Amino acid sequence: MAVASAAPGSIFYKQLLFCLLVLLLFCDACQKISLQVPSHLQAEALVGKVNLKKCLQSASLIQSSDPDFRILEDGSVYTTRDLTLSSAKKSFSILLSDAQRQEQKKIDIVLEARGKKVYEIPKRHPKDAVLRRSKRRWAPIPCSLMENSLGPFPQHVQQVQSDAAQNYTIFYSISGPGVDKEPFNLFFIDKDTGDIFCTRSIDREQYAEFPLYAYATTIDGYAPEYPLPLLFKVEDDNDNAPYFESKLTMFSVPENCRTGTSVGKVTAIDHDEPDTLHTRLRYKILQQIPDHPKHFSVHPDTGVITTATPLLDREKCDTYKLIMEVRDMGGQPFGLFNTGTITISLEDENDNPPYFTESSYFTEVEENRIDVEILRMAVRDQDLPNTPHSKAVYKILQGNENGNFRISTDPNTNEAVLCVVKPLNYEASDQVVLQVGVLNEAQFSRAPNSQAPTMCTATVTVKVKDTDEGPECQPPVKVIQSKDGLPEGKELLGYKALDPEKRSSEGLRYKKIKDEGNWFEINEHTGDLKTVKTLDRESKFVKNNQYNVSVMAMDAVGRSCTGTLVVLLEDDNDHPPQIDKEVTICRHGKDFAVLEPVDADGPENGPPFQFVLVNSASKLWTLETKDGKTAILRERQNLDYDYYSVPIQIKDRHGLAATYTLSVRVCDCTTPTDCRMTTKLPRDITPSNVILGRWAILAMVLGSALLLCVLFTCFCVTAKKAVKKCFPEDVAQQNLIVSNTEGPGEEVMEANIKLPTQTSNICDTNISVGTLGGQGVKTQQSFEMVKGGYTLDSSKGGGHQTMESVKGVGQGGMDTGRYTYTEWHSFTQPRLGEESIRGHTLIKN
């Protein structure tokens, strides 16, 4: 947008007038606007403001037909020089043109000089008819006040008039802000003419408008009109320069960022009227410090600062200062402006790799030393110190295949610290060459148009110094194999240590320091092992088929080393499957029992198992194998609630079997813990099923021998008493029979004689007493003493006497178990005496 101006009388001025004349002839008139202005107008004074968009929405050219006036984009009309309106009116046109749409419009402007008009107001007399309020509103032309007006004061603002003033005397008054409210006495009105005056200049930023009320009254106080609202708007004057919110603004941006990267946005404040040319701000960078090269630019409308080049390098310059200007009036030279300082800091990026101060290093260390620092290496890095971009991370690239060295970073100095963590062996190598590399903690950030760097490396030569050292146990762990069940007295290859100075094990002595099961003894000179117990893979000391023996080797001076000998036991199928011999079947729960055998051997000698019912157990029971590891035992039919004996045989995968007799409890329960059956001998168990151990058999033999001794003693006592009673005092009454013939002997026939309970020398045994022989004569007497009875059989030449015959009672009709002691004594006493005398006679002969 531009407003053309030229000096009157010049050729350009004449041409301009001709062009404007042509435009006036071909333009359509939009509207006609009248503006009241003072009769004298100063240069660059605001005449008024016109809504241009109402006539033409987008005008590419705005011109004034009168060179005494210039038109701005927002429709503001300004004078170009001091003017005095000689006549009451002055008119000119605003020419609008749209080049794209080929449209042209014009707005006619009429300027009217303000004047004062005096009206003759007739007096109102009481005899006049009663006044009526007019229905018409006495509205004046809208009015505005210029901010910061220079006067002269009082300055005429507006005039109000009532239609009733044509016939009556009317007095005018006003009220509101600026009159009887803050700010007081800014306005007053001529009560006779209705002219309103302003007494001083106004600051729009303090009072943007004044809502007043005007009143019209007669002499007697009657109001023929309603109060008239007046709104005086204060036209903005560009009296406030924009300023930055902060005089010193801080921004930061990464170094090496791309062109166009946003740095930040600056904002400024202008207290003039918003959305006007007075507050249309433009930003500009006046100066950059340092000024070369230009790295930053700013968007003139938004105030967004961006980078102009990709060459920001913190290592060259880490801070930039920008002196910026903000100007109103759309950045026009006559606009008000202000300046501010913007500080931009560059954020560090890891664009500089670290490097060693030297390319090679040399150090030495004694062999067998550990946890000792042997070297420090310094590095340099141009990035920001004490940040991940400059903190070094070291790595041993070559030469540490055995893990003898460790390298770390000193957090205080950023140096590399090389230490020995595993003993070095001079006899194996007297020198080690290491290659060490260095990087940063942060990932490298490559700058634009630059190549990726390579890792900086350095060579470290470590010389190993020889020392006299003790034996070496290498390797620390040695594995030997042995069969499971190896008997005692067998030798195994032991652990061998080495004297590094002699390169042999000569002169070393060995001893055990750990043998949990005490299975071995060690040869002090050779280190070989010899079993003192049978090796058992299933022992609690064996873990994962391995049994560990710790061995110490010592030299003559007493220096030692330790090693571990691992005896790997090969599993032997020497354990049949084992099973719990008591199971319960709950009739109301699971109607079966799960058999889960366990094999102490390894998996290769364990499942799958085979389950077989032995003997006639299959008549009452069924056995079902599940997945080769378990079996299901069921009843063929419902059995009584009782204990049952079920023989079963279990084999492992190689056929090693064991037979077990299960005690199966069939119970009226839901779970085995609910069963309340008392333990007793299972129904299916017979004497043939009972297997006695050697201790049980020994106990039985000893018990039987003791019982025989007691019985023998009892018999001897009884026999002694009987002999004493069988010899009467009058032996002459007895008959002695001499016989040179050998008889068949007398037998004691079986007969039960019930003895009284008072008898104390009665024993449960059959005893044959004496065989007397002499001169070919043999007499045999047999006694059988049973519990509660005594039987005597005497045979004399075929004669047979019993207690029944003595009593004269038939044998068939006699209760042989109920004899009294008197009957038994009267029967036995004569016969015992008889037999005793006969034996005595035979002995004498």
Side-chain angles (χ1 to χ4, degrees):
M1 303 293 179
V3 179
S5 61
S10 64
I11 297 176
F12 177 74
Y13 180 73
K14 293 178 180 180
Q15 292 176 350
L16 180 61
L17 290 178
F18 177 75
C19 292
L20 293 176
L21 181 60
V22 173
L23 289 173
L24 289 173
L25 291 176
F26 293 97
C27 288
D28 296 332
C30 284
Q31 55 182 335
K32 185 176 182 180
I33 298 175
S34 297
L35 299 176
Q36 289 189 351
V37 296
S39 59
H40 178 74
L41 296 174
Q42 297 180 351
E44 298 297 333
L46 177 65
V47 177
K49 188 174 183 180
V50 181
N51 189 354
L52 302 180
K53 293 185 177 181
K54 187 176 181 180
C55 183
L56 188 61
Q57 187 66 27
S58 58
S60 59
L61 180 62
I62 303 174
Q63 293 179 327
S64 173
S65 63
D66 191 340
D68 292 336
F69 302 93
R70 62 184 179 87
I71 316 300
L72 300 184
E73 294 177 358
D74 61 350
S76 299
V77 181
Y78 284 85
T79 58
T80 58
R81 62 185 181 87
D82 292 342
L83 292 178
T84 301
L85 301 181
S86 56
S87 59
K89 295 183 178 181
K90 182 178 178 61
S91 60
F92 63 96
S93 299
I94 299 176
L95 307 178
L96 305 175
S97 176
D98 188 349
Q100 294 182 353
R101 298 183 179 181
Q102 300 295 323
E103 291 183 0
Q104 296 176 349
K105 301 288 184 179
K106 72 173 182 176
I107 302 175
D108 295 330
I109 306 297
V110 178
L111 302 180
E112 296 181 355
R114 295 170 181 163
K116 183 181 290 186
K117 183 178 179 181
V118 180
Y119 295 92
E120 294 287 338
I121 306 298
K123 301 292 184 180
R124 179 185 176 222
H125 300 286
K127 62 181 180 180
D128 294 337
V130 178
L131 294 177
R132 295 182 180 181
R133 288 182 177 177
S134 174
K135 293 183 180 180
R136 292 186 299 166
R137 300 301 303 268
W138 41 302
I141 300 174
C143 179
S144 61
L145 302 174
M146 192 64 193
E147 180 186 14
N148 301 322
S149 175
L150 298 179
F153 299 102
Q155 185 179 21
H156 184 268
V157 178
Q158 182 66 280
Q159 183 183 26
V160 295
Q161 290 181 343
S162 174
D163 294 338
Q166 297 178 4
N167 299 315
Y168 304 100
T169 301
I170 297 296
F171 296 104
Y172 300 96
S173 63
I174 57 175
S175 67
V179 181
D180 54 357
K181 296 180 181 179
E182 287 286 349
F184 296 102
N185 302 321
L186 179 61
F187 300 102
F188 71 91
I189 188 170
D190 189 326
K191 67 176 183 177
D192 296 322
T193 63
D195 288 315
I196 301 174
F197 296 91
C198 179
T199 61
R200 58 184 181 271
S201 61
I202 305 172
D203 184 5
R204 189 203 66 82
E205 286 70 40
Q206 188 175 7
Y207 302 102
E209 59 184 17
F210 295 92
L212 303 178
Y213 281 94
Y215 306 94
T217 59
T218 60
I219 296 176
D220 54 0
Y222 178 75
E225 303 283 358
Y226 290 104
L228 177 65
L230 300 175
L231 182 62
F232 294 163
K233 289 187 176 181
V234 181
E235 293 291 339
D236 183 46
D237 183 26
N238 191 20
D239 59 341
N240 290 279
Y243 61 93
F244 291 100
E245 287 184 319
S246 176
K247 281 292 182 182
L248 183 61
T249 305
M250 303 287 294
F251 293 119
S252 62
V253 65
E255 64 173 331
N256 303 319
C257 61
R258 296 180 179 179
T259 302
T261 301
S262 177
V263 178
K265 180 180 180 180
V266 293
T267 56
I269 299 174
D270 195 325
H271 292 295
D272 290 323
E273 186 175 1
D275 302 323
T276 64
L277 196 61
H278 298 161
T279 55
R280 186 177 297 174
L281 307 181
R282 293 291 183 270
Y283 300 92
K284 182 171 63 175
I285 297 177
L286 300 179
Q287 185 182 5
Q288 173 187 298
I289 303 173
D291 60 348
H292 185 77
K294 301 296 182 183
H295 290 299
F296 305 97
S297 62
V298 63
H299 192 284
D301 296 325
T302 62
V304 175
I305 302 174
T306 57
T307 57
T309 65
L311 304 178
L312 291 172
D313 190 353
R314 190 203 66 85
E315 286 71 37
K316 294 181 179 179
C317 180
D318 60 354
T319 303
Y320 291 88
K321 289 187 178 181
L322 302 179
I323 307 300
M324 295 193 63
E325 176 193 88
V326 58
R327 187 183 292 267
D328 61 13
M329 299 300 291
Q332 298 189 43
F334 54 83
L336 302 179
F337 67 92
N338 221 325
T339 61
T341 302
I342 311 299
T343 301
I344 301 175
S345 300
L346 298 186
E347 299 175 355
D348 184 43
E349 292 291 321
N350 189 22
D351 56 343
N352 293 279
Y355 58 93
F356 290 102
T357 57
E358 300 179 22
S359 60
S360 61
Y361 298 85
F362 178 83
T363 185
E364 60 183 9
V365 62
E366 294 180 352
E367 64 173 336
N368 299 320
R369 293 286 303 277
I370 59 172
D371 296 330
V372 57
E373 178 182 323
I374 61 173
L375 182 64
R376 282 179 172 258
M377 296 175 286
V379 294
R380 293 178 183 175
D381 196 320
Q382 296 178 358
D383 290 319
L384 191 64
N386 299 321
T387 65
H389 299 158
S390 62
K391 290 183 178 179
V393 177
Y394 301 93
K395 184 177 181 181
I396 301 176
L397 303 178
Q398 293 180 2
N400 193 31
E401 289 75 12
N402 296 327
N404 299 99
F405 301 93
R406 182 189 65 205
I407 194 167
S408 59
T409 305
D410 189 326
N412 298 322
T413 63
N414 207 31
E415 293 178 323
V417 180
L418 184 63
C419 300
V420 177
V421 295
K422 185 177 179 181
L424 294 169
N425 190 349
Y426 173 84
E427 288 73 22
S429 177
D430 61 350
Q431 179 176 290
V432 180
V433 179
L434 304 176
Q435 186 180 21
V436 180
V438 60
L439 291 173
N440 292 125
E441 291 183 359
Q443 188 176 1
F444 185 79
S445 176
R446 186 165 59 91
N449 302 324
S450 64
Q451 296 180 354
T454 58
M455 179 187 294
C456 181
T457 61
T459 301
V460 179
T461 302
V462 181
K463 182 180 179 181
V464 182
K465 300 170 66 177
D466 185 26
T467 59
D468 188 10
E469 54 191 339
E472 293 181 354
C473 293
Q474 293 295 336
V477 178
K478 181 179 179 181
V479 180
I480 61 174
Q481 290 187 342
S482 174
K483 290 185 177 182
D484 184 19
L486 187 67
E488 57 184 86
K490 298 294 183 178
E491 291 189 357
L492 295 176
L493 184 63
Y495 193 90
K496 300 295 183 182
L498 183 68
D499 188 341
E501 306 298 333
K502 302 178 181 179
R503 309 305 298 174
S504 68
S505 58
E506 183 180 355
L508 300 180
R509 291 178 293 110
Y510 301 89
K511 73 173 183 177
K512 282 190 314 177
I513 59 176
K514 183 180 179 182
D515 181 7
E516 291 182 331
N518 196 24
W519 287 1
F520 300 98
E521 63 181 17
I522 191 169
N523 189 313
E524 182 181 7
H525 301 286
T526 63
D528 293 335
L529 300 180
K530 184 177 181 180
T531 59
V532 295
K533 292 181 180 180
T534 301
L535 305 186
D536 185 7
R537 193 193 67 88
E538 288 73 27
S539 170
K540 64 179 181 179
F541 304 113
V542 177
K543 307 297 182 183
N544 299 324
N545 301 332
Q546 296 179 356
Y547 181 80
N548 297 334
V549 179
S550 297
V551 177
M552 176 185 291
M554 295 177 294
D555 59 10
V557 184
R559 290 171 297 193
S560 63
C561 68
T562 58
T564 301
L565 191 64
V566 177
V567 181
L568 184 62
L569 296 175
E570 300 176 357
D571 185 31
D572 187 19
N573 192 18
D574 54 349
H575 291 82
Q578 303 290 327
I579 194 170
D580 189 1
K581 298 180 181 179
E582 294 185 359
V583 295
T584 301
I585 297 178
C586 287
R587 187 66 57 77
H588 301 294
K590 295 181 180 180
D591 60 345
F592 59 87
V594 179
L595 308 183
E596 298 180 290
V598 177
D599 197 326
D601 293 321
E604 63 278 2
N605 293 318
F609 300 118
Q610 296 180 12
F611 300 85
V612 179
L613 291 171
V614 181
N615 299 332
S616 58
S618 59
K619 295 180 180 180
L620 300 179
W621 307 92
T622 62
L623 195 60
E624 177 185 355
T625 303
K626 303 288 288 187
D627 63 32
K629 295 182 180 180
T630 60
I632 304 298
L633 180 65
R634 299 180 186 271
E635 307 168 82
R636 284 193 179 275
Q637 56 188 3
N638 288 341
L639 303 176
D640 295 338
Y641 296 137
D642 207 339
Y643 285 82
Y644 294 88
S645 176
V646 180
I648 184 175
Q649 185 184 65
I650 306 175
K651 298 180 181 180
D652 61 17
R653 66 166 59 192
H654 296 299
L656 183 61
T659 302
Y660 302 96
T661 300
L662 302 183
S663 177
V664 182
R665 180 175 58 169
V666 180
C667 188
D668 182 13
C669 61
T670 304
T671 60
T673 56
D674 298 335
C675 185
R676 294 296 181 263
M677 292 177 60
T678 57
T679 304
K680 66 178 182 177
L681 192 65
R683 294 179 60 176
D684 295 348
I685 295 181
T686 62
S688 60
N689 299 119
V690 179
I691 301 175
L692 299 179
R694 56 186 178 182
W695 294 108
I697 295 174
L698 179 60
M700 293 177 63
V701 171
L702 293 177
S704 300
L706 181 62
L707 181 61
L708 290 175
C709 292
V710 172
L711 291 176
F712 181 75
T713 304
C714 181
F715 171 75
C716 290
V717 173
T718 305
K720 181 178 181 181
K721 289 182 179 181
V723 169
K724 286 181 180 182
K725 290 184 179 183
C726 68
F727 287 96
E729 295 179 359
D730 189 5
V731 294
Q733 296 179 359
Q734 304 299 327
N735 297 320
L736 297 178
I737 301 173
V738 180
S739 176
N740 293 325
T741 61
E742 191 173 329
E746 297 178 356
E747 296 179 356
V748 179
M749 302 303 293
E750 292 182 1
N752 294 328
I753 301 174
K754 187 74 173 183
L755 299 179
T757 56
Q758 290 81 0
T759 304
S760 60
N761 57 349
I762 305 301
C763 302
D764 294 340
T765 185
N766 295 329
I767 305 175
S768 179
V769 181
T771 299
L772 301 178
Q775 298 180 359
V777 179
K778 179 178 180 182
T779 303
Q780 180 176 347
Q781 184 71 45
S782 296
F783 296 92
E784 180 180 2
M785 303 180 67
V786 296
K787 184 177 182 180
Y790 175 83
T791 301
L792 174 63
D793 267 346
S794 181
S795 298
K796 294 182 179 180
H800 179 74
Q801 291 185 358
T802 63
M803 291 185 67
E804 289 82 356
S805 61
V806 173
K807 292 177 66 176
V809 182
Q811 187 176 355
M814 179 63 186
D815 185 2
T816 60
R818 300 186 182 277
Y819 300 116
T820 64
Y821 175 77
T822 304
E823 293 172 338
W824 176 79
H825 187 270
S826 62
F827 175 77
T828 58
Q829 187 66 27
R831 290 160 178 76
L832 288 174
E834 213 172 55
E835 293 296 328
S836 299
I837 293 173
R838 184 183 302 142
H840 180 69
T841 303
L842 292 174
I843 293 173
K844 289 176 69 177
N845 294 331

